Amino acid sequence: MSEPGNVVSDAPAIDGGAPARAPVTFLDGTSSRRREVSLRLADRCEILDGEELIASWPYADIRRADGPAGTLRAMCVSAPLLARLEIRDPALAADLEHRCPSLDADLPGAKGVAVIVGWSVAALVSIVLMVLFVVPLVADRLTPLIPYAVEKRIGEVADKQVKVIFDGKQCDNPAGMAAFRKLVDMLRQAGDVDATADATVISNEIANAIALPGGKIYVFEGLLAKAENVDELAGVLAHELGHVKNRDGLRNLIYNGGTSFLIGLLFGDVTGSSAIIFASRELFQASHSREAERTADQTTIDIMRKLGRSPKPMGEFLLRVTGKEKGKGLALISSHPLSEDRLARMSQQDQAPTAPPLLTAAEWGALKAICKSPSKS
Ligand SMILES: [Zn+2]
């Protein structure tokens, strides 16, 4: 072992008194550059890049930092916070450890770190609470304050996007359109839904229906094709009218915007975190929109019963379309009620029809063929 003041290294000295290269790496804490350095353990721990003295750390200020096994990683309380020495030579590491009386003492900043962690957890909790409780409240309170004209404008933007996505393939067979319009008007009047609610059938095989802010409802051909009678389709349309009546599209927009903003604050605007943002939002949104779904289902029950029909076929229809869901583990994050639960609720409200079918057999036939071009005669 070298005497104090000399270069401490097991590597052979290249020439006489010059510091030998030792497997030591230095990060100065201000740049990301890693430098191969040598150490001279004199009155202080001197760090040399070639001949140049680039730093010197008092032994009393050196602390152990977390590092991989077999490496002594050291920091210095009087050096920049992120400055590090990495010593892979066991003998050199042992020599340095021997000279540092406070190597394993508590870092003066440790309490500060604990405080920062505490505040970070508090910030996380408050953002989660905001997402869970405040944002839905704000969305609920804000929605009725937004003038209908503004919602209509927002709806037009959303409508344009939907038209682009689905290539604007609106089904317009005249006889089908007449039957569809008759059905929608009947439901709208029974549900006391604003005349701005407006439904269209889109030629696309997905089995779904959506309600946009501003009152536009889209029924996709895939859903229409699976409907076996008027009551099934009427129940779905009534449900979407419920969303329009409750302004759920606008509320969701405010809710999603607020949630994205807060989760963005939490995770930063890093591309890699967008999956986390998406997943969190889906999770947070679930409980919120389940409530909206229940309310829209209530509109179906009210409208169908008012028209002297049963809401039960809609429950059966959705179960048929989505398949059995119980046991799939989706209940927690599903944004809609389980179809089984929905059917159970609709079945409770079942009643024998007290009014004739909402459309005649001929009208229903025409509606089913709304996406077919009119037969040439
Ligand atoms: Zn819905």
Side-chain angles (χ1 to χ4, degrees):
M1 200 54 63
S2 319
E3 56 198 64
N6 283 345
V7 173
V8 178
S9 170
D10 283 351
I14 295 164
D15 60 57
R21 299 290 289 175
V24 179
T25 309
F26 177 63
L27 285 109
D28 64 13
T30 55
S31 73
S32 59
R33 191 153 79 98
R34 298 172 65 86
R35 283 199 259 187
E36 291 301 317
V37 296
S38 54
L39 298 184
R40 187 158 59 209
L41 302 184
D43 292 347
R44 294 152 72 105
C45 173
E46 296 178 347
I47 299 159
L48 298 115
D49 187 358
E51 299 289 318
E52 184 197 356
L53 180 70
I54 52 175
S56 82
W57 290 0
Y59 294 115
D61 286 355
I62 295 176
R63 300 287 183 275
R64 191 189 302 278
D66 283 338
T71 300
L72 171 63
R73 189 173 290 168
M75 57 196 285
C76 175
V77 296
S78 52
L81 189 64
L82 298 175
R84 293 290 184 276
L85 266 179
E86 287 180 7
I87 302 152
R88 286 170 297 275
D89 174 347
L92 180 56
D95 196 359
L96 182 64
E97 280 176 350
H98 193 69
R99 290 165 191 262
C100 300
S102 306
L103 188 68
D104 292 306
D106 273 346
L107 289 169
K111 277 211 184 80
V113 171
V115 169
I116 291 170
V117 169
W119 278 109
S120 305
V121 170
L124 175 83
V125 169
S126 63
I127 287 178
V128 168
L129 289 178
M130 293 238 286
V131 166
L132 285 178
F133 299 107
V134 181
V135 179
L137 197 69
V138 169
D140 285 346
R141 294 282 165 87
L142 209 55
T143 301
L145 300 180
I146 292 179
Y148 205 81
V150 174
E151 181 179 343
K152 197 87 186 151
R153 300 268 310 262
I154 296 170
E156 280 159 15
V157 175
D159 191 33
K160 267 191 199 120
Q161 275 184 313
V162 171
K163 285 206 173 97
V164 169
I165 293 168
F166 296 104
D167 214 10
K169 285 180 284 191
Q170 300 190 17
C171 299
D172 56 0
N173 178 293
M177 290 269 278
F180 188 62
R181 206 158 282 154
K182 177 184 166 186
L183 180 63
V184 172
D185 281 347
M186 219 179 328
L187 297 165
R188 211 158 41 77
Q189 277 159 24
D192 200 17
V193 182
D194 203 281
T196 49
D198 170 31
T200 308
V201 180
I202 295 271
S203 173
N204 188 287
E205 73 255 25
I206 62 172
N208 208 347
I210 54 171
L212 299 181
K216 189 91 191 166
I217 294 169
Y218 284 118
V219 176
F220 296 98
E221 193 185 358
L223 191 76
L224 179 62
K226 288 193 161 102
E228 286 169 6
N229 57 59
V230 185
D231 287 344
E232 290 185 350
L233 180 70
V236 172
L237 281 167
H239 173 97
E240 298 306 328
L241 285 169
H243 282 315
V244 169
K245 196 175 178 179
N246 302 323
R247 304 178 82 179
D248 287 330
L250 180 64
R251 184 179 288 102
N252 275 343
L253 213 64
I254 297 171
Y255 178 80
N256 287 341
T259 307
S260 303
F261 175 72
L262 287 173
I263 294 174
L265 277 187
L266 203 56
F267 293 105
D269 197 20
V270 187
T271 323
S273 65
S274 54
I276 303 173
I277 293 176
F278 186 73
S280 318
R281 199 174 56 194
E282 288 297 292
L283 200 65
F284 289 135
Q285 198 185 346
S287 61
H288 178 63
S289 47
R290 257 203 301 275
E291 191 53 42
E293 289 303 301
R294 277 189 63 82
T295 313
D297 280 350
Q298 188 58 49
T299 309
T300 296
I301 292 167
D302 294 345
I303 290 180
M304 295 305 279
R305 288 180 67 95
K306 197 163 177 187
L307 290 172
R309 310 296 299 178
S310 170
K312 191 182 173 191
M314 182 252 203
E316 292 169 331
F317 180 36
L318 290 183
L319 184 60
R320 204 167 68 234
V321 169
T322 59
K324 285 198 171 44
E325 290 173 288
K326 272 214 167 114
K328 279 188 192 167
L330 281 171
L332 184 70
I333 56 165
S334 170
S335 65
H336 56 91
L338 282 176
S339 299
E340 284 96 332
D341 297 345
R342 181 177 250 155
L343 175 57
R345 186 172 169 212
M346 299 291 178
S347 299
Q348 276 178 4
Q349 302 289 333
D350 190 25
Q351 61 173 23
T354 57
L358 301 177
L359 293 180
T360 65
E363 286 168 332
W364 176 239
L367 175 48
K368 289 281 279 182
I370 191 171
C371 296
K372 310 219 161 42
S373 45
S375 52
K376 289 157 196 133
S377 54

